[in-house]
Every structure is written in C-alpha cells, then in structure tokens.
Amino acid sequence: MKLFKRILLVLLVVLLGWGWHERENLWAFPDIISAYTAKEYCSCRYVMNNDAEYCRGYVKQWLPSELTDDRTQKIVTASGLGRSNSAQWQGERQGCRLPP
C-alpha cells in the first residue's frame, strides 16, 4: 500500500510539473475551442449551405458551448469555458474568417 501511495504522489508531482510547463498552452485552450467551433459552424452553414441542425451536430463538442447564429449578417459566435469567438462569412471565394 505504501508503494502505491508513493507512485501516486510521484505521478501527481509529475502532472503538476507538466501543467506548469505547459501553462501558456493550457490557458489558450478555451479560446481555441470557441474559435474552432465558430469557424467550423460558419463554414458548415454558409460555405457548404447545410441546415442549422446538421451543423450544430457537426460541431458538437464534449465541452459545453453555446452557439449564436446571426443569419442576417452571417456571423456565428461560439461561447464556452468563459471565452467567446466569432466567425463571419466573407463571400463565396473567401469563406468564413475569424476576426484579426
């Protein structure tokens, strides 16, 4: 039993060390998820001309997110993990883009 506790302690220390080393990447993760969801939904909906329900299923993530689709301006906003990103349809040749 003592060996098992020591192994768990060592694994915990290694995991914390890895988390500290990768802290910038882990901090960017929520932005990446919401940007990816907004861009993929926008492309599915406005570039590929699929219906809204199909595209919602297409971009569904394991992590909770909320989608807002402004059909008049063709802007999609995805929110999740405390961050929001938008993508807008630019035209047939440009497709959808995230703002700079």
Side-chain angles (χ1 to χ4, degrees), residues 42-58:
C42 182
S43 295
C44 178
R45 184 83 172 105
Y46 299 112
V47 175
M48 302 303 293
N49 294 315
N50 291 310
D51 62 82
E53 286 305 310
Y54 173 81
C55 293
R56 284 188 186 275
Y58 179 74

Side-chain angles (χ1 to χ4, degrees):
M1 195 63 158
K2 288 182 181 183
L3 178 63
F4 182 70
K5 287 181 180 180
R6 286 183 184 177
I7 290 172
L8 282 179
L9 182 62
V10 168
L11 287 175
L12 179 63
V13 169
V14 168
L15 183 62
L16 289 173
W18 173 81
W20 181 256
H21 178 70
E22 296 292 335
R23 66 190 177 277
E24 289 180 27
N25 295 330
L26 292 170
W27 187 254
F29 182 72
D31 270 329
I32 293 167
I33 290 294
S34 60
Y36 172 81
T37 303
K39 176 81 166 57
E40 287 297 307
Y41 181 90
C42 182
S43 295
C44 178
R45 184 83 172 105
Y46 299 112
V47 175
M48 302 303 293
N49 294 315
N50 291 310
D51 62 82
E53 286 305 310
Y54 173 81
C55 293
R56 284 188 186 275
Y58 179 74
V59 300
K60 185 174 178 165
Q61 302 284 329
W62 287 100
L63 300 171
S65 61
E66 180 181 318
L67 280 170
T68 306
D69 185 0
D70 181 352
R71 292 182 180 129
T72 57
Q73 295 183 355
K74 297 184 178 179
I75 299 174
V76 176
T77 303
S79 302
L81 298 175
R83 309 277 174 87
S84 293
N85 279 288
S86 298
Q88 184 172 22
W89 187 69
Q90 303 292 308
E92 286 184 31
R93 298 193 73 146
Q94 295 86 12
C96 291
R97 284 196 176 154
L98 297 167

